[in-house]
Amino acid sequence: MTINTDQSSKPKPPVLPTDFRGVGRYVVPVLGIEVPLLWNANSGNMQMIAGVQGDPVHFTNVIYDGILYTLTYAFPGIPRNPCSTIGPFSLLDLNGHLAEAHYVGSMTLDEVEPRRVNHFRVAAAWEPPPGLIPPIAGLPILRLPVMAGDIYVDADDSSLWRRLLHFGIQNAYAADLDEWILLDEFDHVAGEVVLPSECG
C-alpha cells in the first residue's frame, strides 16, 4: 500500500449519490466472519444489508423518508433485536457530515487490479430533540454516535466508494470495532430499498 499524505491538494470529500448500487462483503476479522453485503440508494432512501438469514451476522440499516432505522437479525453473542427507530436523519444529513471529513491521504489498494483511492476519516453524532430526552442540569448535551470510520473513495470520483472501516450503529456490538465493508462494485444506478415491515 502506497500512501501520500500531502494536504496541499486536498481532494473533494466523500459523497453518497441519491441513487447507487453497491455489492461487496461485510468482514469482521477478529470473529473470522465474512458475509455478503448489499448497499443501495433510490431517490435519497438508502439501505445497507449485511448477511442473509442463517449467517452469523445479518443486519440492515435504512434511511427511509428521512428517518434512520437499524434492525439486527443476528450478531454473535447478541440476542435478536427488534427494529430500532433512531430518528430523523436523511441522506442529505449524512452527506453534510461527510463534507466535514478529514483528508488522511491518497493510497493504492493492493487488489487484483490496484485501485487509487483517497482516504478520509469522519465521525458523526446525533443530538436527540429535547422532547425525546430532556436536558439534564449540570451535564453536557447528550449526543449519540451514529457513525465513525475511515472511508476510501475513488481517487478520481469521491462518489465512488471502495471501502469503509468502523462505520455505523451496529459497531456497538463488537467491542474492538474491527469491522470492514469491502465494495467490489459501486455504480450510480438506483438500487432497491425496502423498509422492513417491522420498522413501519
Side-chain angles (χ1 to χ4, degrees), residues 37-62:
L37 179 116
L38 297 175
W39 191 15
N40 294 331
N42 191 317
S43 301
N45 291 326
M46 187 175 71
Q47 182 172 28
M48 176 184 290
I49 304 171
V52 297
Q53 186 174 353
D55 280 342
V57 167
H58 183 199
F59 67 82
T60 183
N61 292 330
V62 186

Side-chain angles (χ1 to χ4, degrees), residues 62 67-72 81-87 173 198-199:
V62 186
I67 304 294
L68 174 62
Y69 305 85
T70 185
L71 174 55
T72 300
N81 285 304
C83 183
S84 298
T85 303
I86 307 303
Y173 296 146
E198 66 182 277
C199 296

Side-chain angles (χ1 to χ4, degrees), residues 108-178:
T108 301
L109 299 178
D110 296 326
E111 298 181 346
V112 175
E113 183 175 328
R115 288 179 172 176
R116 286 179 46 247
V117 296
N118 290 321
H119 176 191
F120 291 86
R121 185 159 293 139
V122 66
W126 174 69
E127 189 174 310
L132 182 62
I133 302 177
I136 301 171
L139 293 179
I141 296 172
L142 176 65
R143 291 186 177 90
L144 303 175
V146 174
M147 64 175 186
D150 292 85
I151 300 170
Y152 303 80
V153 294
D154 189 271
D156 297 318
D157 185 347
S158 64
S159 69
L160 290 176
W161 289 47
R162 303 301 185 202
R163 291 186 179 185
L164 298 87
L165 173 64
H166 304 173
F167 191 88
I169 293 166
Q170 75 286 344
N171 295 115
Y173 296 146
D176 57 9
L177 300 181
D178 186 17

Side-chain angles (χ1 to χ4, degrees), residues 2 29-30 56 65 80 104 114 122 139 142 192:
T2 307
V30 71
D65 288 343
R80 166 71 157 86
V104 177
V122 66
L139 293 179
L142 176 65
E192 184 180 22

